[in-house]
Amino acid sequence: MNHMLETTLAGRKLKVEFGKVGMLSDCAILISYGETVVLVNANASKEPRAGIDFFPLSVEYEERLYAVGKIPGGFIKREGRPSEDAILTARAIDRPLRPLFPKGYRNDVQVVCTVVSVEQDNSPNILAMNGASLALCLSSIPFTTPVGTVSVGLVDGKFVLNPIQGERENSILNLTVCATKERVTMIEAGAHEVDEETMYNAIMFGFEECKKIVAFQEEAMQKFGKEKLEPVLHKMDENLEQEVRDYAFQMVKDAMYITDKDQRNVAIDEVRTKVSEQFGEKYPENGSDIADVVYKLQKEIVRTMILREGRRPDGRGFNQVRLISCEVSLFPRTHGTGLFTRGLTQVMTAATIGPLGDVQILDGIGEAESKRYMHHYNFPSYSVGEVRPLRGPGRREIGHGALAEKALEPLIPSEEEFPYAVRLVSEVLSSNGSTSQASVCASTLALLDAGVPIKRPAAGIAMGLVTSDDLSEEEVLTDIQGIEDFFGDMDFKVAGTEKGITAIQVDTKIKGLSNECIKKAIEDARIARLFILGKMQECIPEPRKEMSPYAPRVYTMSIDPEKIRDVIGAGGKTINKIIAETGVKIDIKEDGKIYILSDDSVGANKALKIINDLTKVVEVGEIYLGKVTRIMNFGAFVEILPGKEGLVHISKLDFTRVNKVEDVVSVGDEILVKVTEVDDQGRINLSRKDAMKNEADEEQQSEKTIDK
């Protein structure tokens, strides 16, 4: 049976239709906002997946180019692997939903959001996030806590809910807030150095709007939701759990109180070995449960240590940042490098400067068609001392790279200020917490080392949280390391400059964050960020004045857009000839701006002259040194500029009568000529006689000056 529900959000209709499509899915809905429509399907396996110790939730965000009336580019005219934006959106949908499923639930759950229509004023990603929550709520899957999602902009000092395209272009904030009716569950933000108080107020503004969407979803559940299936939750043998606990508790506690990470890991490995030997024979089929008890003990002890004793695993204060070191110019041939070390977390970033022709082309459903600043992040197995096959970037690598890119993007100089493409590659060399924010720091160092005139240096820090079971007690931690991330409740990443925040990403493992926690995390992150920026400034205080000698140089000029065809030539013949003669790369923009990239100033200047000559307007009265290209009975044709010929009539070749053109000039001769006329059809008339007269007059005038 078909059902329709609607509400109003930011003055626009939000509609949900279900029962019409996807009849075999547990729940399938069409959710629309304006003319943007997303199809959401939610399904779960009938039985739990055996032999796993995690919740197998899979969220897919499928972009269909027909949604924006495009045919995919490339040889194969169909969508292939997801775009980076699609992967990032899938991660954003997953993060607020995952903690709200019952603990111990092991059934496979899949949510597929397919974008089928896009109006650029209404973002499909926000719509998909709300649709995923609603589809799960209406299904028989044991998910009962609706999550609302909104976007918040900041235009002319005012918060804007779900900004339309024009508002997004003028906004200095791009904030996504997810929340239940009680707490904020996820935050994602990019900003142009927004101060902490404004950011907090923006989050609270979004939180209040999320509550309205949650109320809409609750109403839909009450009216049309399916009866929820009783979940089969994973439970271990209580006798096994108690026996392992009694045997291992003190050994685990002694190990977890070792402040040195390597020594602590060795001690924990020894405990695991002893526990396995002690209980392996008695419980041969419960190896994963035995390991899980040890893990739970580690988590319990660390959390108790922090909440009850006010002590962190490595002995630091709650607001203390680990030891920091910075270094630049590591390698001779890279354009810029930065090495940032914080405790046992270490990231190296290499910056590469390239021509604007190296921009990344985007073939997706979004507004942007290309980007000239790219940030890539690699997380090899050796960074955690493990051995694994090296494969392409996964969702985590793409997400961390995008976060660092978002943090630095507002600081990259404009194309007019710096006409280059910029690529940063962050290599995680050692990982012990917050490598994404370390990559922000390393990348800033690399940009400064490469001579990129960024507005200001940026740094990033990750904040953590430990709460009591009833959420009544909480401790916010600055600069969390791996163990605090694994056993804590929050990963609150903040990047920015001394002036303000440029990026935020918040994940939680609990059912949301208190307002006080958000406010404290933002403020403590500011203090830590300023401390880190001070350390970075000691290493390299400003961009280098000169780029690497191995970095290409860009030379710019502007021409009349109507002259672009003269530079390119038929089938690209002219521009390819210039490139072959000079060895440069040339990028031409539609507005007539030309970028010439060359390692050789001689080649660049030659290309500039050729293009200037090609596009120069022939003016009456000007004298040119031209080359005779053809001889006719009535005169000679002379090329005065590349591709521009004029006629010197036989009567204009000399002061005396000329019987034959060949008596005065030959093909290939270079002669001075003066432009006497450009007619309505663009034909150029030249005079050698007038040019000679001008030259004689100038010599005579010069002699008079000398005599005086």
Side-chain angles (χ1 to χ4, degrees):
M1 186 175 180
N2 190 28
H3 299 289
M4 178 83 76
L5 288 171
E6 66 176 51
T7 187
T8 301
L9 185 63
R12 284 159 275 166
K13 291 291 185 183
L14 175 68
K15 298 180 181 179
V16 179
E17 188 175 9
F18 54 99
K20 178 179 180 179
V21 297
M23 288 77 74
L24 296 182
S25 284
D26 193 326
C27 182
I29 67 170
L30 285 168
I31 183 168
S32 61
Y33 193 41
E35 294 183 352
T36 297
V37 185
V38 179
L39 169 65
V40 184
N41 285 266
N43 289 282
S45 62
K46 302 299 182 185
E47 301 294 334
R49 195 196 300 185
I52 61 171
D53 58 358
F54 61 93
F55 169 42
L57 171 65
S58 170
V59 176
E60 307 296 338
Y61 180 79
E62 298 288 305
E63 295 177 327
R64 297 289 187 255
L65 289 186
Y66 58 68
V68 289
K70 285 184 182 179
I71 294 175
F75 183 73
I76 302 174
K77 297 296 182 180
R78 68 173 299 158
E79 292 85 358
R81 58 175 296 180
S83 68
E84 286 196 5
D85 282 347
I87 290 170
L88 296 173
T89 301
R91 282 169 54 87
I93 297 170
D94 181 299
R95 284 168 17 219
L97 298 178
R98 188 176 291 271
L100 301 177
F101 282 87
K103 288 186 177 180
Y105 189 56
R106 296 288 187 267
N107 294 55
D108 283 277
V109 174
Q110 185 180 55
V111 179
V112 181
C113 304
T114 307
V115 182
V116 294
S117 178
V118 174
E119 174 193 10
Q120 295 299 343
D121 276 346
N122 299 304
S123 300
N125 55 342
I126 300 297
L127 195 59
M129 295 172 82
N130 285 305
S133 171
L134 183 54
L136 288 168
C137 288
L138 293 174
S139 73
S140 65
I141 300 168
F143 180 93
T144 57
T145 307
V147 177
T149 304
V150 297
S151 175
V152 179
L154 180 58
V155 181
D156 297 330
K158 295 182 179 179
F159 296 131
V160 180
L161 178 65
N162 289 355
I164 61 176
Q165 184 175 9
E167 292 168 331
R168 290 196 297 270
E169 291 172 356
N170 295 314
S171 176
I172 62 171
L173 174 66
N174 179 14
L175 170 67
T176 300
V177 180
C178 301
T180 65
K181 64 182 178 182
E182 297 174 341
R183 290 183 167 227
V184 173
T185 56
M186 196 273 284
I187 304 167
E188 187 89 35
H192 290 259
E193 299 178 288
V194 171
D195 66 84
E196 279 69 18
E197 182 179 1
T198 301
M199 183 63 77
Y200 173 75
N201 291 336
I203 294 169
M204 292 300 105
F205 173 82
F207 181 23
E208 292 303 314
E209 296 297 332
C210 285
K211 292 178 183 178
K212 300 174 185 177
I213 300 175
V214 169
F216 173 68
Q217 293 187 37
E218 287 179 333
E219 180 186 355
M221 284 177 66
Q222 291 169 3
K223 289 183 177 179
F224 306 111
K226 292 182 178 180
E227 183 180 349
K228 295 295 182 181
L229 297 174
E230 188 68 29
V232 178
L233 304 180
H234 175 76
K235 292 183 179 180
M236 66 176 65
D237 186 303
E238 292 182 1
N239 292 329
L240 177 151
E241 184 174 11
Q242 191 61 50
E243 287 180 41
V244 175
R245 182 181 179 86
D246 292 342
Y247 175 78
F249 181 84
Q250 191 59 47
M251 289 189 294
V252 173
K253 184 175 182 179
D254 292 342
M256 298 310 294
Y257 273 71
I258 298 173
T259 56
D260 182 85
K261 180 186 177 184
D262 290 337
Q263 295 178 19
R264 181 171 62 243
N265 288 344
V266 169
I268 283 295
D269 286 342
E270 291 176 354
V271 172
R272 291 195 185 102
T273 300
K274 290 180 180 178
V275 170
S276 180
E277 291 173 350
Q278 178 71 18
F279 297 99
E281 188 173 337
K282 184 176 181 180
Y283 299 101
E285 304 297 324
N286 301 90
S288 61
D289 286 344
I290 293 171
D292 194 36
V293 175
V294 175
Y295 178 86
K296 286 182 177 179
L297 286 174
Q298 290 176 262
K299 184 174 182 178
E300 176 187 326
I301 290 165
V302 168
R303 295 169 70 86
T304 301
M305 182 193 308
I306 292 169
L307 275 178
R308 300 285 174 260
E309 302 174 23
R311 180 183 184 277
R312 297 177 73 170
D314 60 359
R316 280 183 294 143
F318 287 175
N319 295 326
Q320 187 178 352
V321 178
R322 288 171 287 175
L323 185 66
I324 288 173
S325 69
C326 304
E327 188 178 343
V328 294
S329 302
L330 276 75
F331 309 115
R333 288 276 178 166
T334 51
H335 299 165
T337 46
L339 181 67
F340 181 82
T341 308
R342 184 175 60 230
L344 291 176
T345 291
Q346 185 179 66
V347 176
M348 178 196 73
T349 297
T352 305
I353 310 300
L356 290 172
D358 286 345
V359 299
Q360 182 177 353
I361 304 301
L362 305 175
D363 187 21
I365 63 174
E367 303 160 35
E369 296 181 351
S370 66
K371 61 179 181 181
R372 55 183 276 266
Y373 159 58
M374 300 150 275
H375 194 139
H376 298 144
Y377 167 102
N378 295 318
F379 190 87
S381 56
Y382 61 71
S383 65
V384 288
E386 295 179 357
V387 178
R388 291 195 305 269
L390 295 179
R391 296 191 175 93
R395 288 191 171 192
R396 182 179 182 276
E397 284 84 354
I398 290 171
H400 280 18
L403 178 59
E405 183 174 294
K406 185 185 296 183
L408 293 169
E409 191 275 334
L411 309 173
I412 300 295
S414 68
E415 186 175 306
E416 289 71 27
E417 297 172 283
F418 193 71
Y420 297 88
V422 180
R423 180 182 183 236
L424 299 176
V425 180
S426 293
E427 307 282 1
V428 179
L429 306 182
S430 179
S431 173
N432 187 29
S434 190
T435 55
S436 67
Q437 298 310 287
S439 72
V440 173
C441 301
S443 297
T444 297
L445 296 173
L447 288 167
L448 296 172
D449 187 45
V452 179
I454 58 175
K455 293 178 183 177
R456 269 171 291 279
I461 194 73
M463 311 298 293
L465 175 72
V466 174
T467 61
S468 58
D469 291 340
D470 62 359
L471 305 182
S472 62
E473 299 176 80
E474 58 186 26
E475 289 288 355
V476 176
L477 308 174
T478 296
D479 182 24
I480 54 172
Q481 57 180 323
I483 190 172
E484 294 164 335
D485 188 6
F486 300 149
F487 300 140
D489 299 320
M490 170 184 83
D491 188 2
F492 198 122
K493 307 181 183 85
V494 185
T497 68
E498 62 181 6
K499 188 177 177 182
I501 295 169
T502 57
I504 291 181
Q505 186 179 91
V506 180
D507 298 326
T508 64
K509 300 175 187 175
I510 54 177
K511 296 183 178 181
L513 306 176
S514 68
N515 296 355
E516 294 75 17
C517 171
I518 295 171
K519 193 167 192 175
K520 180 172 175 54
I522 291 175
E523 176 56 24
D524 288 357
R526 182 188 68 85
I527 296 169
R529 185 172 76 247
L530 294 178
F531 172 76
I532 296 168
L533 285 169
K535 295 293 184 182
M536 293 166 61
Q537 189 172 20
E538 292 173 8
C539 175
I540 180 168
E542 60 185 15
R544 298 201 186 281
K545 302 300 182 185
E546 293 290 334
M547 294 194 300
S548 163
Y550 303 108
R553 264 57 175 180
V554 170
Y555 303 78
T556 62
M557 66 182 296
S558 292
I559 64 171
D560 184 342
E562 294 294 324
K563 300 288 184 180
I564 292 175
R565 60 177 177 269
D566 297 332
V567 179
I568 295 174
K573 183 178 179 181
T574 304
I575 194 170
N576 288 332
K577 183 180 178 183
I578 299 171
I579 293 169
E581 287 181 8
T582 62
V584 303
K585 291 183 178 180
I586 301 175
D587 291 320
I588 303 178
K589 302 298 182 183
E590 291 181 359
D591 61 359
K593 287 182 181 176
I594 296 181
Y595 300 94
I596 297 173
L597 186 94
S598 176
D599 297 328
D600 174 17
S601 61
V602 174
N605 288 326
K606 184 178 179 182
L608 286 168
K609 184 180 184 308
I610 293 173
I611 295 173
N612 187 60
D613 289 345
L614 280 169
T615 57
K616 190 174 181 180
V617 177
V618 176
E619 296 183 8
V620 175
E622 287 290 317
I623 293 176
Y624 296 90
L625 178 64
K627 188 175 183 179
V628 178
T629 57
R630 289 180 292 155
I631 290 177
M632 310 295 285
N633 292 334
F634 51 82
F637 285 94
V638 179
E639 185 180 51
I640 58 174
L641 291 171
K644 291 183 174 63
E645 284 185 343
L647 172 66
V648 182
H649 192 267
I650 191 169
S651 64
K652 300 291 184 180
L653 277 173
D654 207 341
F655 293 109
T656 60
R657 179 180 174 84
V658 177
N659 294 318
K660 287 180 65 178
V661 175
E662 292 90 337
D663 291 342
V664 180
V665 295
S666 301
V667 172
D669 286 352
E670 290 188 343
I671 60 173
L672 284 174
V673 291
K674 183 176 182 178
V675 180
T676 58
E677 181 189 17
V678 179
D679 67 17
D680 293 341
Q681 297 180 32
R683 292 177 298 192
I684 303 168
N685 291 320
L686 306 171
S687 172
R688 177 173 178 267
K689 181 168 65 175
D690 289 344
M692 291 165 65
K693 183 178 184 299
N694 269 53
E695 188 176 28
D697 290 344
E698 288 177 6
E699 288 179 359
Q700 187 177 10
Q701 184 62 38
S702 178
E703 288 173 359
K704 288 181 180 179
T705 303
I706 293 171
D707 290 342
K708 289 181 181 180

